[in-house]
Amino acid sequence: MTRSKTNWTLPKLIIPVVTLLVIIGVVAGLGHPALAQITYGPYGPVSVPLPPRTYTYTLYWNLTDARLEYGATPTSCPSACYTNLINYMAPWYFTAGKSFSIYIANASDVYYYTSSGWQLGSPITMTATATANSTGGVTWTVSTTLTGGITPNQVYANWTVVVVLNGYGGANWMVFNVTSIFMDLADLMGNLTTVSTDSYIPVSPSIAQSLIPQLSTTYTGTSSDYPTIGVPWNSSITSEPYVAYPLFRPVYGGTPTSYYVVLPDLYFFFLYVGATTSNSEIQPLSPTSQLEASVTLGTGVTVFGPTTYNSTVSGVSQAIYGYSYTGFGPIYYVTNEFSGLNSADHNYPSVTAQPITITVSEVYPSGQSVVLYNYTTANVNNATTPESFNVAKAYTWNYTGTSAIISLSALCNTTTTGVDPALLVGVPVVEFYLGNVTDLKGNLIIGNATYIPNPILAEKLYVKWLLATTPTATVVSENYLRYYESTPAYYPWATSAALGLERHPYRQLDSQPQSSTYSMRTSRCLRPRYLFQVGQRYLR
């Protein structure tokens, strides 16, 4: 007897099909997000937390110093500084090859916006360090980890963005610091990672008034900027006025299509030196003078020079001042010594304002030098909370006869006067001439600078006298006997004690001829005596 095929095969088909359906149902259930968070324990459903997720961002920034955006008009400094100098300085003149760090951190309490409303979140700090390439470009990769299924567009705070120059002059220096309004992290990072003239950091109008370069156009956010329930501390605030601080922009010295991030606290200036014996007049130096200049940071490390003048910078003096002064530079300096973010104070940058010291010396052929000008700038912390603008302030001589206090920065398009990248200083240099030099019998050796009856004896006598009276003296010419005498540097009369700029008394130099006698041993072992009449004339 045989069984029917149907009776024999039906049970075998039903079991696999049912099993397959069960398996599919289990897999589908586990794959469903809602079901994946719930398991069933002995007392009911149990929530399973989502795993943490790391969000990574890459920033491509070209960095430049504190210079104006291309097309901006300098208002408080001579336009020649830009048209004749800065416009020929590549934007990466200083930044190429330097190490920079970026810090992105909450500058207020962090809040998460969830389906149940606002809840206090965890602090966020992202940081990275990179070395700029040959054109000032840096690539930073930063990341943050969020838990509980929170995404960056749910994370709100005021955010601070800080850029630090590392290892320059023996310290780290804050060169960029901008704090945003209350906004979500996704919006902030979208602006920081998108190289476009449309990218910006929205800042409070009160902060914008202190930012350098100053910004004045206010854009107001709409109700879509914040959740409709308002901000955590006030449910009625659904929008906030702000100023768009631009990130990427063309600058002087670059091209209209090359975008750079300006580092407002990475300063530079040009130093011009003239001769003066008063606080109101300054004249060009003699071309025979051999000056050197140097600049030392507050750390005590000299970052510029000592070096001789720059012929290009000197050549622009006529366009700036109308006179030919001796020029040095560009001279780069920083003042905001950075020691980290203060986590106890919402990551406010810990910065110590440091002055700089400017020195000008006369160097003689022997190698010996005499300091003609030694000046430490004011240590000023402008009221730019939470921004910092500790620019060096110094006295500048004015060729029109009025001295002034200026901030040594090329960001000179603000409404604040006295921002100027050109510093003019006077060194007290006096020309001495020898005349009416005779021996005790009345024989004339030197009549004046162009009448020297006995040039051989005059030259030997002159050199011997100089070496005996002034070790730093030098003979400029056999036929034009003179030398330069220096006195301690002095500064203009006008001072401001509040700025820490001290008054240095002006010492009038004697302008009356003086007579003296001097002996010189000759080959005959005799000691003839010679009478000198030394007159001095100011370089005017």
Side-chain angles (χ1 to χ4, degrees):
M1 176 185 246
T2 63
R3 299 179 184 228
S4 68
K5 183 180 294 186
T6 302
N7 291 337
W8 281 103
T9 58
L10 181 58
K12 295 182 180 180
L13 291 173
I14 291 176
I15 293 174
V17 170
V18 173
T19 303
L20 178 62
L21 290 176
V22 172
I23 293 174
I24 292 175
V26 172
V27 172
L30 291 176
H32 193 281
L35 297 179
Q37 300 177 56
I38 301 175
T39 61
Y40 289 86
Y43 303 103
V46 178
S47 177
V48 178
L50 293 174
R53 180 176 175 182
T54 298
Y55 293 87
T56 301
Y57 306 92
T58 301
L59 292 74
Y60 303 98
W61 285 20
N62 289 323
L63 303 178
T64 189
D65 46 44
R67 64 179 69 190
L68 291 178
E69 181 178 354
Y70 183 81
T73 302
T75 56
S76 62
C77 64
S79 59
C81 289
Y82 270 90
T83 57
N84 294 24
L85 287 173
I86 301 174
N87 211 29
Y88 295 94
M89 292 168 50
W92 58 86
Y93 187 95
F94 177 87
T95 56
K98 300 295 190 303
S99 173
F100 293 91
S101 295
I102 190 169
Y103 295 82
I104 305 168
N106 58 288
S108 67
D109 288 334
V110 176
Y111 289 91
Y112 300 152
Y113 179 66
T114 67
S115 58
S116 59
W118 293 107
Q119 67 181 56
L120 196 62
S122 300
I124 292 178
T125 298
M126 297 182 286
T127 184
T129 299
T131 300
N133 62 23
S134 60
T135 56
V138 295
T139 301
W140 290 306
T141 299
V142 298
S143 63
T144 187
T145 300
L146 301 176
T147 60
I150 296 296
T151 59
N153 62 355
Q154 296 176 275
V155 181
Y156 282 79
N158 295 85
W159 304 99
T160 185
V161 181
V162 174
V163 177
V164 174
L165 169 64
N166 298 312
Y168 182 67
N172 300 329
W173 308 88
M174 186 178 71
V175 291
F176 179 96
N177 177 27
V178 178
T179 301
S180 77
I181 62 171
F182 190 74
M183 64 185 300
D184 68 83
L185 181 60
D187 190 6
L188 173 72
M189 297 310 298
N191 281 280
L192 298 183
T193 56
T194 303
V195 180
S196 168
T197 54
D198 295 329
S199 296
Y200 63 91
I201 298 177
V203 300
S204 167
S206 61
I207 293 178
Q209 294 175 1
S210 300
L211 289 175
I212 303 295
Q214 189 177 46
L215 304 168
S216 58
T217 304
T218 301
Y219 303 93
T220 303
T222 63
S223 58
S224 60
D225 293 325
Y226 296 150
T228 55
I229 65 170
V231 294
W233 58 91
N234 192 330
S235 60
S236 64
I237 298 179
T238 57
S239 64
E240 182 181 357
Y242 64 85
V243 172
Y245 184 90
L247 286 170
F248 309 101
R249 41 192 160 166
V251 296
Y252 275 92
T255 66
T257 57
S258 298
Y259 302 142
Y260 285 81
V261 176
V262 173
L263 304 176
D265 292 328
L266 177 55
Y267 309 107
F268 67 89
F269 69 100
F270 305 95
L271 175 65
Y272 288 93
V273 181
T276 183
T277 55
S278 73
N279 61 345
S280 61
E281 290 189 55
I282 184 167
Q283 297 297 328
L285 283 162
S286 168
T288 58
S289 59
Q290 299 295 320
L291 296 182
E292 286 188 348
S294 63
V295 171
T296 302
L297 300 182
T299 56
V301 177
T302 299
V303 293
F304 177 83
T307 185
T308 55
Y309 70 93
N310 183 318
S311 58
T312 300
V313 177
S314 298
V316 181
S317 172
Q318 189 73 32
I320 297 176
Y321 301 107
Y323 294 90
S324 297
Y325 297 122
T326 304
F328 301 86
I331 301 171
Y332 281 87
Y333 74 95
V334 279
T335 56
N336 300 316
E337 187 174 357
F338 178 78
S339 56
L341 301 181
N342 186 356
S343 59
D345 189 20
H346 292 308
N347 293 316
Y348 190 90
S350 297
V351 172
T352 302
Q354 296 282 11
I356 63 172
T357 300
I358 305 168
T359 303
V360 179
S361 302
E362 171 81 7
V363 180
Y364 297 95
S366 64
Q368 187 172 359
S369 65
V370 174
V371 174
L372 303 176
Y373 178 87
N374 185 263
Y375 186 78
T376 299
T377 61
N379 187 347
V380 180
N381 188 355
N382 283 13
T384 55
T385 304
E387 272 43 66
S388 181
F389 180 42
N390 296 317
V391 66
K393 289 182 177 290
Y395 279 115
T396 183
W397 268 256
N398 193 303
Y399 61 93
T400 61
T402 303
S403 58
I405 300 172
I406 62 171
S407 298
L408 301 180
S409 172
L411 294 176
C412 50
N413 70 327
T414 70
T415 57
T416 303
T417 59
V419 179
D420 197 334
L423 174 64
L424 176 62
V425 303
V427 294
V429 176
V430 180
E431 282 184 330
F432 277 71
Y433 293 86
L434 294 182
N436 298 327
V437 179
T438 63
D439 59 23
L440 293 180
K441 293 182 179 181
N443 299 316
L444 188 63
I445 300 174
I446 302 174
N448 54 50
T450 59
Y451 178 52
I452 306 176
N454 193 335
I456 296 178
L457 181 58
E459 179 64 19
K460 293 179 179 179
L461 179 63
Y462 182 66
V463 172
K464 185 71 175 179
W465 179 74
L466 290 181
L467 295 178
T469 57
T470 310
T472 58
T474 180
V475 177
V476 177
S477 169
E478 291 184 6
N479 298 321
Y480 199 52
L481 303 176
R482 62 184 181 181
Y483 76 103
Y484 290 98
E485 178 84 0
S486 64
T487 63
Y490 61 91
Y491 310 99
W493 285 97
T495 63
S496 174
L499 292 177
L501 301 175
E502 299 178 357
R503 175 181 297 178
H504 291 256
Y506 167 68
R507 187 177 71 178
Q508 177 67 44
L509 298 176
D510 185 7
S511 60
Q512 299 299 320
Q514 298 176 352
S515 297
S516 62
T517 58
Y518 177 75
S519 298
M520 184 181 81
R521 184 180 300 275
T522 65
S523 57
R524 296 181 180 179
C525 298
L526 300 177
R527 284 184 173 272
R529 297 177 64 82
Y530 303 93
L531 179 65
F532 287 76
Q533 187 180 39
V534 182
Q536 60 186 11
R537 180 176 68 85
Y538 299 148
L539 278 174
R540 296 189 182 277

